[in-house]
Amino acid sequence: MQASAFVHRHYLHHPPIFSSCRRVCFVSRLRSTIPMSLKEDGPSVAVVGVTGAVGQEFLQVLSDRDFPYRSIRMLASRRSAGHHLSFEGREYEIEELVPESFDGVDIALFSAGGSVSRDMAPVAVQRGAFVVDNSSAFRMDPRVPLVIPEVNPDAMAHISLRKKGKEGAIIANPNCSTIICLMAATPLHRHAKVVRMVVSTYQAASGAGAAAMEELKLQTREVLDGKQPTCKIFKQQYAFNLFSHNAPILSNGYNEEEMKLVKETRKIWDDSSVMVTATCIRVPVMRAHAESINLQFENPLDEDTARQILEEAAGLVIIDDRSSNLFPTPLEVSNKDDVAVGRIRQDLSQEGNHGLDIFVCGDQIRKGAALNAVQIAEKLL
């Protein structure tokens, strides 16, 4: 079947928006001057790392989805404490993160780095909060669910505010690359069982935070002006270049980012036998990661069936127009909820329809971090 052009759902109506993330103040999309999600019977929410790129996106997603809350606490480091930000028509003072910050908090969204999570998430749990942690601190802890709501919601079925005791719990948000990959690979895995997956990622500056995004913009100006590029976040020139992901290299030759894809896939799918190999690359794109995924199946899966499965899967949009050579791009998915899938084709190197290639793009800050975390929080209600 010749692949046809698919409508981009809401992509055509909401063009990409980029933010420098310099300012502490937060401006929500113009939905209403009245905070519709402020509800007396809602949970008390805390956002940890609120001044970072993901912390700001937490607020955007909470607002976009009308997440109900009776109160919200803005938490960050000491140097940000005392500053003010606006959210849904109200002014909030940013508070320094301390153990007492979690008194009376029901749900705490963490995105302040692994060391902060390791120190403060258990404290929050002891004080009764359910922590949704965006760092890698607890992902491989067998006691902690690692959840993509469209993929394995049952992993956290035993945790909810209705079942809350004196202590809370931690739910881990997977790595952005894992989320984007498994959103597309899982529906196919359910149908034909993936036995081997080869992933090559093309990761944007947003994956390294707001400072990396600023450095990419700065370097681009410097290189175009014939100046030596400033290299503070990365050790080498990022503008007009690409290089192996900056995560530390392990003794097996893989870097930590690549091994996250391996280990997290096995945990989320609850299948230690699936073979996964990954190569992660930084590319000079501001926002949204792309991934090339090659799948080998235990059972045959033809291209037409695969396309139908992906069309019907939650959280995906198909952009696959062969006649016009139009497929997913980072620009099309920036600031969007869905993961885009294209380049859907049979792997000619494998016989009997046991292999498939797909290409995916997803917003690292949006679905790859904040949206996934808020969707987890919604399941706690």
Side-chain angles (χ1 to χ4, degrees):
M1 181 182 88
Q2 175 66 31
S4 59
F6 290 87
V7 176
H8 298 188
R9 292 184 190 168
H10 61 287
Y11 287 63
L12 297 176
H13 305 291
H14 299 282
I17 302 169
F18 297 100
S19 170
S20 66
C21 301
R22 285 184 193 169
R23 298 183 301 157
V24 172
C25 68
F26 170 87
V27 182
S28 64
R29 292 190 178 99
L30 298 177
R31 296 184 302 110
S32 171
T33 57
I34 302 173
M36 301 300 293
S37 46
L38 188 60
K39 297 181 179 179
E40 291 184 2
D41 59 348
S44 173
V45 175
V47 177
V48 180
V50 71
T51 58
V54 175
Q56 292 282 286
E57 196 71 16
F58 277 150
L59 296 182
Q60 186 69 73
V61 174
L62 289 169
S63 181
D64 289 348
R65 296 177 70 85
D66 287 324
F67 186 90
Y69 61 91
R70 71 174 182 274
S71 65
I72 187 165
R73 234 171 222 184
M74 312 297 185
L75 304 175
S77 65
R78 180 179 299 175
R79 70 175 178 272
S80 297
H83 292 279
H84 289 78
L85 57 78
S86 60
F87 176 62
E88 293 200 323
R90 294 190 173 204
E91 290 290 319
Y92 293 87
E93 181 175 332
I94 298 174
E95 304 173 36
E96 180 184 356
L97 177 63
V98 294
E100 292 75 22
S101 300
F102 301 104
D103 289 344
V105 169
D106 296 311
I107 299 173
L109 303 174
F110 270 66
S111 188
S115 61
V116 172
S117 291
R118 281 188 287 272
D119 290 342
M120 298 302 293
V123 173
V125 169
Q126 290 171 1
R127 291 173 182 259
F130 287 116
V131 171
V132 184
D133 182 42
N134 192 53
S135 80
S136 61
F138 303 101
R139 288 174 184 158
M140 299 315 299
D141 187 327
R143 300 165 297 179
V144 174
L146 182 64
V147 177
I148 304 172
E150 297 91 342
V151 172
N152 64 330
D154 291 347
M156 59 172 291
H158 61 292
I159 304 173
S160 75
L161 287 173
R162 295 185 300 277
K163 302 175 183 177
K164 185 178 177 181
K166 292 183 179 180
E167 290 197 351
I170 300 173
I171 305 100
N173 215 31
N175 190 44
C176 52
S177 299
T178 307
I179 293 172
I180 293 165
C181 175
L182 297 192
M183 284 289 294
T186 300
L188 304 175
H189 174 60
R190 288 173 179 154
H191 184 89
K193 192 180 189 313
V194 173
V195 295
R196 185 170 187 263
M197 181 166 67
V198 181
V199 185
S200 297
T201 72
Y202 313 93
Q203 297 184 220
S206 58
M213 298 167 75
E214 288 296 324
E215 182 161 292
L216 176 56
K217 288 195 288 187
L218 173 63
Q219 282 192 8
T220 301
R221 296 190 192 99
E222 290 172 334
V223 172
L224 289 174
D225 289 340
K227 298 177 182 178
Q228 189 70 20
T230 301
C231 299
K232 293 182 179 179
I233 304 301
F234 301 113
K235 296 179 181 179
Q236 52 196 310
Q237 180 178 322
Y238 194 12
F240 306 101
N241 193 24
L242 55 84
F243 47 82
S244 179
H245 193 282
N246 51 297
I249 301 292
L250 307 175
S251 60
N252 62 4
Y254 288 77
N255 63 42
E256 288 183 355
E257 185 79 1
E258 292 157 351
M259 290 308 299
K260 287 175 185 177
L261 258 168
V262 175
K263 295 177 180 179
E264 292 177 20
T265 295
R266 290 172 174 169
K267 180 174 180 177
I268 292 168
W269 281 355
D270 191 23
D271 185 353
S272 60
S273 68
V274 63
M275 296 181 291
V276 181
T277 184
T279 301
C280 296
I281 303 295
R282 284 279 185 209
V283 296
V285 170
M286 189 61 65
R287 181 166 175 155
H289 294 348
E291 300 180 10
S292 171
I293 306 171
N294 174 264
L295 300 165
Q296 180 181 344
F297 301 106
E298 181 177 286
N299 304 306
L301 177 61
D302 64 84
E303 178 188 310
D304 291 348
T305 303
R307 185 172 286 106
Q308 182 178 351
I309 291 169
L310 293 170
E311 284 180 50
E312 296 172 354
L316 297 181
V317 61
I318 310 300
I319 304 175
D320 196 63
D321 184 356
R322 292 180 184 174
S323 61
S324 300
N325 200 16
L326 292 177
F327 303 105
T329 69
L331 283 177
E332 286 174 297
V333 301
S334 291
N335 290 280
K336 304 301 188 297
D337 291 351
D338 291 341
V339 172
V341 187
R343 297 303 316 277
I344 304 163
R345 63 197 188 278
Q346 216 76 56
D347 177 0
L348 298 179
S349 71
Q350 300 187 53
E351 297 180 354
N353 290 341
H354 282 271
L356 197 74
D357 286 304
I358 58 175
F359 184 75
V360 300
C361 284
D363 189 320
Q364 177 275 333
I365 301 178
R366 190 77 176 182
K367 178 54 185 172
L371 175 59
N372 199 79
V374 172
Q375 287 176 309
I376 290 172
E378 289 171 345
K379 291 195 171 295
L380 294 169
L381 301 180

